[in-house]
Amino acid sequence: YFAYGTVASVSKYLSTVQTFPAVTICNLNALDFNNPNTTAYANWVLTTSKLSPTIVPRSSDYSIYLVRKYMSIIKSNAFSSVNGNSSYIRGLGYSIESILISCFFNGFECTSNDFYRYYSYEYGNCFIFNHDKGDGSSLKTVSQSGPNSGLQVELYAGESG
């Protein structure tokens, strides 16, 4: 009479902690032309290369060709003159502070200090989240997937030129 059926359920979850991969963020707009220094630098490079800083459209294909040619000249000048190590040249591109709108890792806010900057010829300033600095500092880890785990970033990509 006092005997009741019992159901027991046992689940085993294996929780492994894994190193979160490095995530690289680059902007296709290598130079920030909202910055007056960038515009002045580009005008200087083009003028010293005997090119007009103003593109007069003749046809859309030709104008696109000129924009790509001019950007190639400007980027190669910036890269070759200082090999991307000058703070002035770094200042011509986007900084992590100017593109990082919001950042969360494992549900906690992350900041620009969580990113390592390097210079790419093609993309200008690039930033790595969870970069192995080689100094023994621990890399970020994850133990589960889902909307509150891992990296969530909102970025400003700049205006198309």
Side-chain angles (χ1 to χ4, degrees):
Y1 177 78
F2 288 104
Y4 296 100
T6 306
V7 176
S9 177
V10 177
S11 298
K12 181 179 178 182
Y13 295 100
L14 181 60
S15 175
T16 60
V17 176
Q18 296 183 343
T19 302
F20 189 76
V23 176
T24 302
I25 299 169
C26 298
N27 193 327
L28 285 176
N29 298 316
L31 301 171
D32 180 4
F33 282 99
N34 291 322
N35 178 347
N37 290 336
T38 303
T39 304
Y41 177 78
N43 287 336
W44 175 80
V45 169
L46 294 174
T47 303
T48 57
S49 299
K50 308 268 191 272
L51 297 169
S52 170
T54 305
I55 295 176
V56 179
R58 294 183 192 155
S59 71
S60 62
D61 291 342
Y62 182 70
S63 296
I64 291 170
Y65 163 76
L66 283 180
V67 168
R68 288 184 177 155
K69 176 182 173 183
Y70 285 15
M71 282 303 296
S72 178
I73 292 169
I74 293 166
K75 288 192 297 187
S76 64
N77 185 286
F79 193 74
S80 67
S81 64
V82 292
N83 201 20
N85 291 324
S86 165
S87 61
Y88 178 77
I89 297 301
R90 285 193 306 260
L92 299 178
Y94 289 90
S95 67
I96 190 65
E97 291 83 7
S98 68
I99 64 170
L100 188 64
I101 296 171
S102 68
C103 178
F104 292 90
F105 182 75
N106 281 345
F108 295 98
E109 188 172 16
C110 46
T111 68
S112 60
N113 294 330
D114 293 306
F115 291 84
Y116 169 79
R117 188 207 66 84
Y118 76 93
Y119 190 83
S120 161
Y121 169 75
E122 186 67 26
Y123 303 112
N125 293 330
C126 291
F127 308 94
I128 302 175
F129 179 83
N130 209 30
H131 177 258
D132 185 0
K133 299 173 184 78
D135 61 2
S137 63
S138 63
L139 292 173
K140 297 185 183 310
T141 59
V142 291
S143 59
Q144 61 184 2
S145 62
N148 293 323
S149 297
L151 180 65
Q152 298 173 343
V153 293
E154 182 179 4
L155 302 169
Y156 171 74
E159 299 172 25
S160 61

